[in-house]
Amino acid sequence: MTFEVLHNDPASEARAGVIATDHGQVTTPIFMPVGTCGAVKGVHFSELKEQVEAQIILGNTYHLYLRPGLDTLRRAGGLHRFNTWDRPILTDSGGFQVFSLTAIRKLSDEGCEFRSHIDGSKHIFTPENVMDTQRIIGADIMMALDECPPGESDYGYAKKSLGLTQRWLDRCIARFNQTEPLYGHQQVLFPIVQGCQYRDLRQEAAKFVVDRLGQLPTTGVAIGGLAVGEPTEVMYDMIEVVNDILPKDRPRYLMGVGTPQNILEAIERGVDMFDCVMPTRNGRNAMLFTYQGTMNLRNKKWEHDFSPIDPEGCPIDRLHTKAYLHHLFKAQELLALQIASIHNLAFYLRLVGDARRHIINGDFTQWKRTVVDNLGRRI
């Protein structure tokens, strides 16, 4: 993998770059649709390419490990061949999913013991077997195993958790460097910066990661543990703290974030990569993002609105009307979920694409000020 910063915004930390992988290039800033189990909910890969214009998708190590399982993925030749997505894939480590299963997991230096949410069977993730699992999945970008503590964790727990994540990182790097890709394309490993909402812990975590980057010469860095309950302004402050320390020649990935406003604020602070389930989850609940604000297509006000869903949006937005999509939701037609999910994903890709164009033009901060407030409106 290579990363090149092509343009810097003169009034902020925003930058436009390009990541090159064996499965193709990714222009940044970029949003990655979440394909948890090897599929983006309600959206076929042809639509991801033609309507959404997705360049890279995300898969989840926890879910893929449980279903379809490593034997199937290895026999298939990895996730790219199994699901036929021929562009880059990033896998997270499963750490966040294990964090969300608080009642059925146990952490130790060895790793994380947990029970499957499917059948209750017992499993353990260690830094070593998570590296092996992601080798079998075959993602272009792999994540180190980490603990993602709640945003409101007290300082003592946050510090203890960070120590565990750092010890796991050293073991992840060792295992990654001892193993090779299985399917003929290169893979890279991203460390994850944790530290909750504590400035000194975030600084310590970022410096710890920077110290290890010499062992991972072609890689980027992920920022985890944000948008998990802390106030929004604290999240922005932690991004600034971390990005002040991380090198400028590595891509920065803010995990699991977030709203359109969150994304623009993070781009302004130097973040390059994003993922979030919000576009598809909100779409399935009839909430559509636009530059004018968020529309609830179940509302009666759209019943006789025969204007396009979004006249500036993707082809499917221009094909169908708000009234038709309102009807589909009221009739509980599955097509409603599909159209809304495509719209939201396409809007997120359009948003980061517009941000990139304004960074290149040198007027990102001015443009961002004109659109960010409207993004949070309900219309």
Side-chain angles (χ1 to χ4, degrees), residues 147-159 161-162 193-205 223-242:
E147 185 195 2
C148 182
E152 67 276 10
S153 297
D154 63 45
Y155 185 86
Y157 185 87
K159 186 173 181 62
S161 172
L162 177 58
V193 176
Q194 289 288 352
C196 292
Q197 57 184 316
Y198 301 105
R199 176 179 288 265
D200 63 321
L201 295 184
R202 287 283 175 180
Q203 291 172 330
E204 175 190 337
I223 305 170
L226 295 175
V228 290
E230 80 285 352
T232 302
E233 291 306 318
V234 171
M235 176 175 69
Y236 298 152
D237 184 43
M238 293 302 101
I239 294 170
E240 292 177 7
V241 167
V242 170

Side-chain angles (χ1 to χ4, degrees), residues 132-166:
D132 296 345
T133 296
Q134 291 181 85
R135 289 292 197 195
I136 293 170
I137 294 170
D140 301 88
I141 300 174
M142 302 164 45
M143 291 293 129
L145 181 63
D146 65 325
E147 185 195 2
C148 182
E152 67 276 10
S153 297
D154 63 45
Y155 185 86
Y157 185 87
K159 186 173 181 62
K160 179 181 177 182
S161 172
L162 177 58
L164 183 65
T165 290
Q166 291 174 334

